[in-house]
Amino acid sequence: MSSRTYADDLFPLEVIEQGEEQLSAGSSSPSGTPNSVDAANSRIHVGWMTTPFDVEENLDRQVAPYCTNLGESKYNFVSFPVGGVVRAFCKPTALSEHHPPVIDLPDVQLANSLWETYINGKVSEWIDCDSEDLAFATLSEENLLKELNYVCYLGLQTMTIELKRVNSPRTAAILNKWIWTRNSRFTVWVQLPTCLEKCMGFNGQTNEKSLDLWTIWADFRKLCGNFSGMYLQVALSLSANLPNEFTEPKLVERWKAESIGAFIVESDLFITGKFGETVLPSAHLSLLQSLWSSDSLRLVLRAVNDVFKYNKAVKFEWSQALRHAVRDVLFKIQKCSGESSTDSAHYLNVIEYKDVLQAPLQPLSENLDSGVYNTFEQDQTKYVVYGEAVEGALKDLGADGRKSVVVYLLGGGRGPIGTKILRAEKIYNSTFRKGRDPLKVKLYIVEKNPNAIVTLKYMNVRTWKRRVTIVESDMRSLPRIARDRGLEQPDIIVSELLGSFGDNELSPECLDGVTDFLKPTTISIPQKYTSYVVPIMSTHLHQTIKAQSIPFLSRAIPSHGRAEPELDEDGMWIQKYPQGHVVNNMDQIYVVYLSKYIPLFSSTKPVFTFEHPNFTNSSNERSATVEFDIDRKADLMGFGGYFDLQLYKNVMLSIEPSTHTPGMVSWFPAVIPLRDQLRVGENDKIRLKIDRKVDAGGVWYEWHVEQLKPSGDVINTPLQNPNGQSYYMRM
Ligand SMILES: C[S@@+](CC[C@H](N)C(=O)[O-])C[C@H]1O[C@@H](n2cnc3c(N)ncnc32)[C@H](O)[C@@H]1O
C-alpha cells in the first residue's frame, strides 16, 4: 500500500507546470511569499462546474477519475449535478409524462469525506419551481426536495441552485422551509446571473426599469427569512456584458454588504493578455477584485463549449488565470490599509474582532476587571494624546507664574492617565520653567472601583513616589467628600468616561456630579464630545444581531435592559423578556469592528454634543433628527455610530471615519440597528429620530426611522427601545 490518500488520487499533487512563469508575469511577489503562485494554488480554491459538455458514458459512476482529471488541471472541487448528469441535463420537454430520470449518483464511489470536501451538489438544470406551467412547477418542487434530501444523504457541505427568474417565490418557499426547519446544515449557493436578460420573466418593460439583480437577490433572501449568510449565499455568475450595476462603484459596493459564496466564470470570458497569457477582461477583473473579500470565497469555471474537452492544458490555464486574478487582492488591501500595522492594533489583534458583536461597557454600574483595563492600556495613542492635552492646559495655567496646579483625574482606572499627567508636569517644567520655580502638579485620582483602587495604591508607591492622593469614591460624591475632608478645588479635571457613541458610558451624568466642587475657572479635559451617525447596509450584521440566542444556563444573566433577573416559580432565576428575544436583540446598541458593511452616505452627521464643565446645569436629555439622502436602492440595516472628543483646544481624539486618530484602536464603532432591514430607494430621504432620555435610575436611547419617498409617501419604522426596555445604562 502506498501512503497516497483518496484525495491524492482525486487531486494529485503532481501538476502540469507549464505556463506558471507566464502567469506570474507582472507580479512582483517572490516565489515562496504568501502570495506566490504556489501559495495561491493552495489558498485559492477554483472549482469546475460540470455541464452537458462533460457528459460521457457512465460519468455518474466515474466521478472519481473525472475529479482526478480535473485535479490535474488544478481544480480543487467540482460542482456536479446532485442527481447525476443523466437526470440533470435531460430537457424539460423530454421529461416523458412528467417522469424525470431518477437520482442515480451512487455514493460509494467516493469516500464520504471526499463528497464533503470536493463536491458541490448542483440542482438539476430543468428544475423550475416557478414555471408558469403549474404541473411542471409542482413536479419541480417534488424533485427539488428529492435533490435536497440527496445533498444530505451524500453529506455535501455546499450546493448550488440557479435563480432563473425575476421572481422565484415558490423556489424560495421550498428553500425557506428547508433551511429553517431541517436539522442538516449545508451552504446553499444561489446562482445569480449578472445580466437581467438571462432571467426568465424579464421583458424590459418600463415598470421593470428600476429592477436590478441586487433587488432580485435581496428579495429572494428576504423570502428565505434572511437566513444566516453562513448558509445562504449568492454565487454571482459573471456574464460577458456587465450592466451598470456591476460596473458603477456605488452600486457594486452593495454586494460587499451581502454574503457572497462564489463567483462563477464562463470560459468564453477569457481573453489573451499582452504576454499571451489567459486573462479576464478588465471590467470583470475589477468586479472580481473589488468583491474579493476573503480567500475562502470560491471561484467556479463553467465551460461554455466542448472545444477544450480533452485539453488539460487549456483547463489548467483557466484555473490558473482565475487564481491569478485574485491572488494578490487581500495582500494589497492589507498593505494599503496598514491593517494590523500599529503596535496597538497588533497587540489587540483587531482583525479577530471583525464583525463580532460586543455589548458596550457600563463602567459606571459595573466594575471593570483587570483584563479589560489591560486591554485599554495597550492603546498608547490615547494616552499620548491625553498627555498632550494636559501639557496644553498646564502651559496656559502656568503662564501666570503660579507654583502649583491642582489636577483631579476622575475615573482613574489603573492610573495610566495619572502617569501621563505627571509626565506632562515634567515636560512643562523642562520646556517653560527651565529648572527655575518649577510648577507642581497636585494630583488626586478618584475611582469608584474598589478593585482598581488596589492597583492605584500600588502604583502610587511604586511609580508615582506617593505623590498622588487616591480617593475611593464615586465622583458624584466628591463635592461632599471634599467638604468633609477639606480637599482643595481642582484647576483641571481629567476624565475618560467615553463609549463608542460618545456619551453612552454616562460621562455627562458623572461629570455633572462634580460641578458643585469646581472653580469657575476649572478646565475640563475633555471640553466637549460629539456623536455621529451614518446609515449602513449589512445583511450579515442584521442576521448576526437577530440570531443571538441565550443558552439555558445563561437564562438569568442580566439583560442590558431595564428589567432585572427574578426568581421564578420553579425556583430558578430567570431574566424575562416580555418584549421578545428578537426585539430585545434588535433594540440595543452594539460595539462592532465593522467589516462586512457599507456606508450608505458619503459622510457622517453629528447627533449629540456635550460640553464640560456644565456650569449652567443644562439637561443631558437630547433629541435629534438626522437626515440623509439615499442615492441607490439598498437595504438599510441601521446606523454606524462614532464620536470625537475635544480634549483641550485643538487636541482631539476621534473615531469619526474622516478624522479618525491614526493608530488608535480604543473604540470600535457603535451600531444602532433597525428591527428589520428597510428597503430604501434612490432619492429617498431617511431621518433617524433619536432621543437620549434620563430618569433617576439611568439613561437610554429611543429611536426610529422616517423614510420619505419621492412620491411623498412616508414610512415610519417602529419605535425601538421604548422606556429603555432592552438597553438601559444604569446610573
Ligand atoms: C473607561 S475607564 C477609563 C480608565 C482609565 N482612565 C483609562 O483611560 O485607562 C473609566 C473608569 O472610570 C471609572 N468610573 C466610571 N464612573 C465613575 C464614577 N462615577 N466615579 C468614579 N469612577 C468612575 C470606572 O470604574 C473606570 O475605572
Side-chain angles (χ1 to χ4, degrees), residues 361 363-364 366-368 373 376-377 382-383 409-417 446-449 452 473-476 495-498 505 510:
L361 294 173
L364 175 55
E366 289 163 13
N367 284 326
L368 305 179
Y373 285 120
F376 291 157
E377 289 160 16
K382 179 182 97 176
Y383 300 110
L409 170 57
L410 303 173
R414 303 200 303 184
I417 296 180
V446 183
E447 174 56 59
K448 57 99 195 162
N449 178 353
S473 157
D474 188 308
M475 66 184 80
R476 292 169 296 177
S495 65
E496 191 282 269
L497 305 159
L498 283 310
E505 288 184 10
C510 292

Side-chain angles (χ1 to χ4, degrees), residues 24-89:
S24 332
S27 160
S28 57
S29 39
S31 135
T33 59
N35 59 332
S36 71
V37 172
D38 283 345
N41 285 346
S42 56
R43 191 164 40 90
I44 294 160
H45 286 208
V46 177
W48 177 270
M49 185 173 281
T50 303
T51 66
F53 303 116
D54 293 76
V55 174
E56 283 175 2
E57 211 186 323
N58 234 2
L59 180 59
D60 290 337
R61 283 160 173 66
Q62 300 293 326
V63 175
Y66 172 70
C67 290
T68 306
N69 275 336
L70 288 166
E72 285 168 358
S73 300
K74 287 260 175 180
Y75 291 88
N76 308 83
F77 67 98
V78 180
S79 181
F80 197 85
V82 68
V85 295
V86 172
R87 171 183 164 90
F89 302 134

Side-chain angles (χ1 to χ4, degrees), residues 134-336:
L134 290 186
F136 187 72
T138 306
L139 174 83
S140 295
E141 285 180 337
E142 285 162 19
N143 280 278
L144 175 56
L145 281 171
K146 285 184 189 168
E147 296 197 3
L148 288 170
N149 275 311
Y150 206 65
V151 168
C152 293
Y153 177 71
L154 291 176
L156 306 185
Q157 295 293 297
T158 57
M159 63 155 264
T160 302
I161 182 166
E162 222 175 314
L163 213 54
K164 302 174 193 294
R165 296 178 172 272
V166 167
N167 294 305
S168 309
R170 293 180 65 155
T171 307
I174 299 265
L175 264 185
N176 189 27
K177 184 168 182 201
W178 179 278
I179 50 187
W180 282 96
T181 60
R182 294 294 295 248
N183 184 21
S184 49
R185 285 270 176 267
F186 51 82
T187 298
V188 179
W189 288 347
V190 179
Q191 180 180 339
L192 184 80
T194 49
C195 111
L196 275 170
E197 286 68 25
K198 292 199 173 176
C199 296
M200 284 190 263
F202 175 75
N203 55 19
Q205 297 299 302
T206 39
N207 61 349
E208 287 180 344
K209 277 270 161 60
S210 65
L211 184 67
D212 60 0
L213 285 146
W214 175 80
T215 310
I216 293 177
W217 156 250
D219 286 347
F220 186 80
R221 75 157 149 68
K222 201 168 171 196
L223 288 175
C224 294
N226 286 324
F227 198 69
S228 161
M230 264 173 77
Y231 301 108
L232 184 70
Q233 304 176 340
V234 61
L236 288 175
S237 180
L238 309 190
S239 44
N241 288 330
L242 289 178
N244 211 14
E245 65 171 302
F246 288 101
T247 53
E248 197 180 318
K250 79 170 189 209
L251 300 178
V252 171
E253 243 192 358
R254 297 175 301 179
W255 294 100
K256 295 184 183 172
E258 299 290 349
S259 290
I260 299 182
F263 295 92
I264 298 165
V265 179
E266 301 201 336
S267 59
D268 61 349
L269 284 187
F270 289 113
I271 54 173
T272 304
K274 55 179 184 236
F275 302 104
E277 78 281 26
T278 300
V279 291
L280 286 173
S282 59
H284 297 80
L285 191 64
S286 68
L287 174 65
L288 198 55
Q289 293 181 337
S290 71
L291 297 180
W292 193 258
S293 57
S294 153
D295 286 344
S296 63
L297 288 168
R298 298 287 186 253
L299 292 158
V300 184
L301 192 283
R302 185 174 184 278
V304 295
N305 54 46
D306 67 353
V307 176
F308 304 106
K309 187 164 177 180
Y310 301 107
N311 192 334
K312 280 187 181 170
V314 171
K315 285 181 181 166
F316 169 78
E317 269 181 38
W318 290 339
S319 69
Q320 292 302 75
L322 288 182
R323 275 191 191 90
H324 187 67
V326 296
R327 73 171 210 221
D328 290 341
V329 174
L330 298 181
F331 181 73
K332 282 183 187 152
I333 293 174
Q334 277 168 16
K335 221 166 136 189
C336 289

